[in-house]
Amino acid sequence: MTAHRNFKLRVRARAAKTGESYTAALRHFRPTPSGDEMPDNTLRIAVAQSTVHEDPTNAAVLRESGAEIRGLMKQAAEAGARLVHLTEGALCFPSKRVMSELGPDEIGPSDWSKAEWTVLQEELDRITALSGELGIWTVIPSVHRLPAPTRPHNSMYVVSDQATVVARYDERMLSATKLTWMYTPGTEPVTFEIDGYRFGLSLGLDVLFPEVFTEYDRLGVDAVLVSYSTTGSSGNEVVPTHARGYAVMNTCWMSLAVPANPAAGVMSGVIDPQGELVAEADGAAGIAVTELHRHDAVQVGREFRRRTRERVGS
């Protein structure tokens, strides 16, 4: 049994004895820094920034990605986070040229038979097992295989602190390249809950479509986890602006996870319901940690918006 597992058991033992939530019990083991006052009913999350590789046919780089992700998970657990959120392509962000059956010089339909599916699954299984050992939830994007000849989904897996994949979100707003040559689009929003906090999921170009986030507001989420890859894309600077706007418009928290790619000019971070950036990673692989919490003003704003929508029938 690992030291992290022992720590998790101590926290749960206190929660069972006192009737506190896991998060409340955790504060007694990881106290707030001197001079800071932690609001009640908080949830500590970590947003990660990792190295993204583009070749799912290369078993060695897939294992390298898996090892780095597990290292970031351990950092998040040591920081007392209940959830660690990773970027699009964390295990691999397949290149359209690598996957093209006509490539690499010509873009065409992706040949997914070339992917190292067994290695991808093994790395996901290791991440799932480690979530249970550390007692931490993990949101890990990866390609989700579908029976041939159907193209896979570009997905986000939600792994619980009990080492179980409890949900999967499939990117809905695919780019022209993804839709034409690479993936099958998803169709549904996905939510899940940790310690009374409800989360929504957004992947890739979903971040450019406000209706995705309005829908999550209707579903009563406290936060949306946005995974976006800056690899090989332009216009990255608008992504944090969109995220901050959605946070304000929907009075919810936004966690934005991107690759460790300083040249893109975008860093992983967490935005509060007032649109303020409250945690940010630097350009290297690593994590940023903050506390989600509820304020009366946030609840008032959300209730006003919902009552207004009901009144006008929208």
Side-chain angles (χ1 to χ4, degrees):
M1 184 176 289
T2 66
H4 294 297
R5 185 67 172 176
N6 287 332
F7 175 79
K8 171 183 168 184
L9 291 175
R10 293 200 308 273
V11 177
R12 285 188 169 163
R14 178 185 171 87
K17 181 178 179 180
T18 63
E20 298 170 309
S21 68
Y22 185 100
T23 303
L26 182 64
R27 292 203 293 270
H28 295 274
F29 293 86
R30 299 195 187 282
T32 305
S34 178
D36 294 337
E37 182 178 350
M38 183 182 293
D40 291 335
N41 194 20
T42 63
L43 184 76
R44 183 173 295 183
I45 71 168
V47 58
Q49 196 162 264
S50 60
T51 307
V52 171
H53 298 289
E54 297 186 317
D55 187 356
T57 72
N58 188 323
V61 299
L62 295 178
R63 296 196 188 284
E64 183 179 323
S65 291
E68 182 178 85
I69 290 164
R70 290 188 291 276
L72 295 171
M73 291 168 64
K74 291 174 183 176
Q75 289 182 36
E78 289 168 358
R82 286 286 283 138
L83 165 74
V84 58
H85 167 215
L86 292 124
T87 184
E88 179 182 19
L91 273 175
C92 186
F93 188 69
S95 164
K96 60 188 177 184
R97 294 190 179 276
V98 171
M99 300 313 297
S100 173
E101 64 181 21
L102 307 175
D105 297 326
E106 185 176 352
I107 307 303
S110 294
D111 179 5
W112 287 101
S113 68
K114 299 188 294 184
E116 288 282 356
W117 290 109
T118 300
V119 177
L120 276 168
Q121 187 60 51
E122 288 173 352
E123 292 306 311
L124 181 61
D125 290 345
R126 291 188 178 104
I127 289 165
T128 300
L130 184 61
S131 287
E133 292 176 18
L134 298 176
I136 190 171
W137 289 66
T138 303
V139 174
I140 171 71
S142 185
V143 181
H144 179 75
R145 191 178 192 179
L146 296 173
T150 306
R151 295 171 183 162
H153 290 304
N154 186 33
S155 302
M156 302 169 77
Y157 293 100
V158 179
V159 182
S160 78
D161 59 355
Q162 300 298 306
T164 302
V165 176
V166 296
R168 191 191 80 239
Y169 174 75
D170 307 318
E171 182 185 4
R172 290 180 281 171
M173 303 301 188
L174 298 179
S175 68
T177 295
K178 285 179 176 178
L179 183 61
T180 303
W181 305 121
M182 302 186 74
Y183 297 109
T184 297
T187 59
E188 301 291 339
V190 171
T191 65
F192 67 99
E193 293 191 14
I194 305 175
D195 300 344
Y197 278 79
R198 179 174 292 181
F199 293 87
L201 298 169
S202 165
L203 183 59
L205 291 189
D206 287 346
V207 73
L208 301 182
F209 294 86
E211 58 267 33
V212 170
F213 300 89
T214 302
E215 184 176 31
Y216 279 127
D217 179 51
R218 294 180 190 275
L219 293 173
V221 303
D222 298 290
V224 182
L225 308 179
V226 180
S227 295
Y228 176 82
S229 179
T230 57
T231 304
S233 60
S234 59
N236 296 311
E237 66 280 355
V238 306
V239 173
T241 302
H242 278 281
R244 293 180 73 168
Y246 299 145
V248 173
M249 287 188 292
N250 298 296
T251 48
C252 70
W253 295 80
M254 302 288 293
S255 176
L256 175 63
V258 299
N261 180 15
V266 181
M267 308 298 176
S268 292
V270 179
I271 301 161
D272 73 12
Q274 286 75 44
E276 296 296 327
L277 183 65
V278 294
E280 186 175 42
D282 59 24
I287 62 170
V289 180
T290 194
E291 306 280 350
L292 306 190
H293 50 83
R294 296 188 176 101
H295 289 304
D296 289 342
V298 171
Q299 297 304 111
V300 169
R302 297 178 76 177
E303 290 304 316
F304 164 77
R305 192 169 53 256
R306 288 169 187 161
R307 286 196 304 270
T308 302
R309 282 176 176 154
E310 290 173 0
R311 186 173 66 248
V312 301
S314 62

